[in-house]
Amino acid sequence: MTTLTHRGRRAEGRGSEKKGEGEEEAADRELNEDEPDDSKDIRLTLMEEVLLLGLKDKEGYTSFWNDCISSGLRGGILIELALRGRIRLEPLALRKKRLLERKVLLKSDAPTGDVLLDETLRHIKATETAETVQTWIELLTGETWNPFKLQYQLRNVRERLAKALVEKGILTTEKQNFLLFDMTTHPVCNASEKQRLLKRLQESVLERSVNEPQRMERRTLALLVLAHASDVLENVFASLADDKYDVAMNRTKDLLDMDPEVEAAKGRGTEMIWAVLAAFNKS
């Protein structure tokens, strides 16, 4: 992973500040008019899709060796809230800040209908001082030395997501014995839903150019970033033939190696996606 370079520079005068705010507002309008993400038509949240990608179909649990998926799911929550118009990064002002220096601001505390998203919204609203994307991922994961901020940890996230997928008819619930203990597992019972998800991601890099990510559908771009952050990206392309697998992995690597600062500046409501990628690049 490469550490992001500092590209901050000073703008001149109040006119620059107004211009920056105008660009932010225009991006918001474009986001809302182009792709109304806050819609009941959304079948799965980004977090549910990431968990589905990480689950072993028959066994019904994620790899015991995967220690990245917990933080990846928290990053997915932030992106999902941004796509639904509930949060945003603070606008660029006189001094342009890097993505990881910009605070997460509440735009709307209107309930989303999703338990994890709404719980996170309450946390963001309750904070006295705004925090950055990287700090929020750490707080929601519980990786903080400050005992007063442990209240922001989201608990049992994987189990709650699995329960939601069971309610949507994609997973089922079983009990498995692991010698010393019993564990609740959630095997895939609707394979077609997962196959549609895999096909969408595979086609996004095999049949379309990834050299211009701003032209990519935002939820697909976000899911590729989150699959990488959650260490489940290989699962996405595992079913491909060797030649296509190599092409898909190389193209995705090219996408993930792009400079988040540069790509976020191109607009179309992707700032939070690139900020999450920048946070995982740094960690």
Side-chain angles (χ1 to χ4, degrees), residues 177-192:
N177 180 270
F178 286 85
L179 200 61
L180 298 177
F181 61 94
D182 289 334
M183 186 174 85
T184 301
T185 60
H186 299 282
V188 175
C189 63
N190 184 347
S192 61

Side-chain angles (χ1 to χ4, degrees), residues 48-276:
E48 290 166 351
E49 289 178 327
V50 169
L51 182 65
L52 192 55
L53 291 174
L55 280 177
K56 300 174 184 290
D57 289 9
K58 294 181 180 179
E59 293 86 344
Y61 52 83
T62 57
S63 170
F64 294 125
W65 308 108
N66 188 336
D67 58 357
C68 301
I69 196 167
S70 292
S71 53
L73 290 171
R74 271 68 173 187
I77 289 172
L78 295 180
I79 294 175
E80 187 74 54
L81 285 172
L83 292 179
R84 295 189 184 208
R86 299 309 195 274
I87 62 174
R88 66 180 296 176
L89 293 182
E90 65 178 330
L92 295 172
L94 289 177
R95 182 181 179 186
K96 293 195 174 182
K97 296 180 180 179
R98 297 169 63 228
L99 286 171
L100 294 184
E101 295 171 348
R102 293 165 66 184
K103 308 293 187 180
V104 174
L105 303 181
L106 184 70
K107 286 179 63 179
S108 168
D109 62 355
T112 65
D114 181 275
V115 176
L116 286 172
L117 295 179
D118 290 342
E119 185 176 338
T120 304
L121 267 183
R122 290 193 294 272
H123 288 329
I124 293 174
K125 183 179 180 180
T127 52
E128 293 182 3
T129 57
E131 303 286 0
T132 64
V133 167
Q134 188 166 17
T135 299
W136 268 118
I137 291 174
E138 292 168 355
L139 290 175
L140 295 173
T141 311
E143 296 177 354
T144 175
W145 293 101
N146 187 338
F148 297 104
K149 293 195 172 185
L150 286 174
Q151 60 183 310
Y152 298 126
Q153 180 182 2
L154 295 179
R155 301 181 183 279
N156 305 317
V157 169
R158 269 179 268 191
E159 184 59 34
R160 290 156 77 181
L161 290 171
K163 182 180 178 181
L165 288 169
V166 169
E167 292 173 353
K168 292 179 179 181
I170 298 171
L171 304 181
T172 187
T173 302
E174 294 181 357
K175 286 279 188 182
Q176 288 196 33
N177 180 270
F178 286 85
L179 200 61
L180 298 177
F181 61 94
D182 289 334
M183 186 174 85
T184 301
T185 60
H186 299 282
V188 175
C189 63
N190 184 347
S192 61
E193 188 75 26
K194 184 167 184 177
Q195 287 305 311
R196 275 196 294 271
L197 175 61
L198 292 173
K199 184 179 179 181
R200 172 162 64 90
L201 292 176
Q202 291 168 3
E203 289 180 349
S204 72
V205 294
L206 287 175
E207 298 183 8
R208 302 177 183 88
S209 171
V210 296
N211 293 328
E212 297 179 326
Q214 67 273 17
R215 299 178 63 181
M216 184 179 289
E217 196 272 322
R218 286 180 295 121
R219 297 187 73 86
T220 300
L221 172 63
L223 194 51
L224 288 171
V225 167
L226 293 170
H228 159 69
S230 305
D231 197 20
V232 298
L233 186 60
E234 189 169 341
N235 296 0
V236 175
F237 305 123
S239 62
L240 295 172
D242 289 347
D243 56 340
K244 289 188 176 182
Y245 173 87
D246 291 339
V247 171
M249 288 297 287
N250 288 333
R251 287 183 178 177
T252 306
K253 182 179 182 299
D254 290 342
L255 174 70
L256 298 169
D257 283 344
M258 290 180 176
D259 188 335
E261 302 288 344
V262 174
E263 299 307 318
K266 295 176 182 177
R268 290 209 72 252
T270 60
E271 282 188 319
M272 189 65 72
I273 299 173
W274 293 109
V276 167

